[in-house]
Amino acid sequence: AQTVTQSQPEMSVQEAETVTLSCTYDTSESNYYLFWYKQPPSRQMILVIRQEAYKQQNATENRFSVNFQKAAKSFSLKISDSQLGDTAMYFCAFMKSGGTYKYIFGTGTRLKVLA
Amino acid sequence: EAGVVQSPRYKIIEKKQPVAFWCNPISGHNTLYWYLQNLGQGPELLIRYENEEAVDDSQLPKDRFSAERLKGVDSTLKIQPAELGDSAVYLCASSLGVTSGMADTQYFGPGTRLTVL
């Protein structure tokens, strides 16, 4: 069975600084997807970034980028130029390809951006 | 484009009472998911629909939980009777569907926060 671990329950960062959230996962699958979702205090989860395991290039979306290390089973999220609106819970999720379409979520990291 | 819509946003009930949650997915999304999210935890899948068919309900506590997705669009999740431990946020999500090549990305609604007293 797959597991996703987010070892940082809470983090804080000064506005405009850079922060990295860690995520590790355990799987025997070779093809899968990884995601970072953001859940602000209003509760709606928003997709931040996705990575396909067969792609070696790290995904980037504006200020958000990932460091995907397939051999190490690591998928960290880097937020550059942090903004107050980045304050939220961040969840890492795993989904194996090939039919289940089932996300396995980590327990989340609560990020607070300080003014 | 409208996102996933859920109602109600909040519900407070006495234990042993029934409760129902409603979800309207993004237009054109064939796959619909119901998740349970306990405080401080990540969401856990309860049931997944492909159109009107429940294709994965292995995590749904069928003694008290039921769901339906008539006509393959809107969906309702019901609990009867509710227990104290059912207090949580119930999230609905949708995705394009298994034939789209983009079935991996799920879009979430705002959730329904249930409190059972």
Side-chain angles (χ1 to χ4, degrees):
Chain A
Q2 291 84 16
T3 59
V4 176
T5 302
Q6 293 181 250
S7 59
Q8 305 152 315
E10 294 187 3
M11 294 190 71
S12 61
V13 62
Q14 290 293 137
E15 198 175 5
E17 297 295 309
T18 296
V19 64
T20 299
L21 310 183
S22 67
C23 172
T24 58
Y25 57 94
D26 187 23
T27 184
S28 58
E29 303 289 330
S30 57
N31 295 320
Y32 48 86
Y33 300 91
L34 294 162
F35 306 84
W36 279 98
Y37 278 86
K38 168 185 176 181
Q39 190 175 40
S42 64
R43 207 167 60 242
Q44 185 148 12
M45 292 186 67
I46 305 165
L47 177 68
V48 175
I49 201 163
R50 64 189 284 273
Q51 175 83 40
E52 294 145 323
Y54 67 86
K55 289 187 177 180
Q56 294 186 346
Q57 186 173 6
N58 289 323
T60 299
E61 288 288 341
N62 301 313
R63 299 182 295 108
F64 298 88
S65 61
V66 297
N67 183 4
F68 174 48
Q69 301 290 329
K70 191 172 184 179
K73 297 179 182 176
S74 172
F75 183 61
S76 61
L77 175 69
K78 186 172 81 171
I79 305 174
S80 303
D81 185 25
S82 296
Q83 300 176 0
L84 296 177
D86 295 334
T87 293
M89 282 289 287
Y90 286 81
F91 291 98
C92 178
F94 169 99
M95 187 187 82
K96 70 177 185 178
S97 63
T100 67
Y101 304 99
K102 180 176 179 178
Y103 280 12
I104 306 298
F105 283 92
T107 53
T109 295
R110 185 176 303 277
L111 176 67
K112 187 171 185 179
V113 180
L114 307 172
Chain B
E1 178 182 283
V4 177
V5 179
Q6 289 187 250
S7 68
R9 291 293 307 275
Y10 304 90
K11 189 74 176 178
I12 300 174
I13 60 171
E14 299 281 336
K15 64 180 180 182
K16 300 185 181 179
Q17 294 299 306
V19 64
F21 315 123
W22 175 80
C23 173
N24 179 246
I26 293 172
S27 177
H29 282 198
N30 297 323
T31 307
L32 184 145
Y33 311 77
W34 283 103
Y35 286 89
L36 166 70
Q37 186 178 22
N38 286 306
L39 187 64
Q41 300 293 318
E44 298 176 14
L45 181 69
L46 290 171
I47 190 168
R48 173 171 69 94
Y49 281 93
E50 292 294 339
N51 298 302
E52 65 274 12
E53 181 182 0
V55 295
D56 183 357
D57 63 356
S58 58
Q59 302 302 310
L60 189 72
K62 298 180 184 64
D63 57 335
R64 297 184 301 106
F65 286 66
S66 64
E68 61 182 11
R69 191 184 184 197
L70 300 176
K71 300 181 181 179
V73 181
D74 296 359
S75 178
T76 303
L77 178 68
K78 299 178 182 177
I79 308 175
Q80 183 170 12
E83 297 178 352
L84 295 177
D86 296 331
S87 295
V89 175
Y90 292 83
L91 295 171
C92 180
S94 68
S95 65
L96 275 169
V98 300
T99 60
S100 70
M102 290 291 292
D104 56 290
T105 302
Q106 298 179 22
Y107 299 86
F108 287 80
T112 297
R113 180 179 296 279
L114 174 67
T115 301
V116 182
L117 302 175

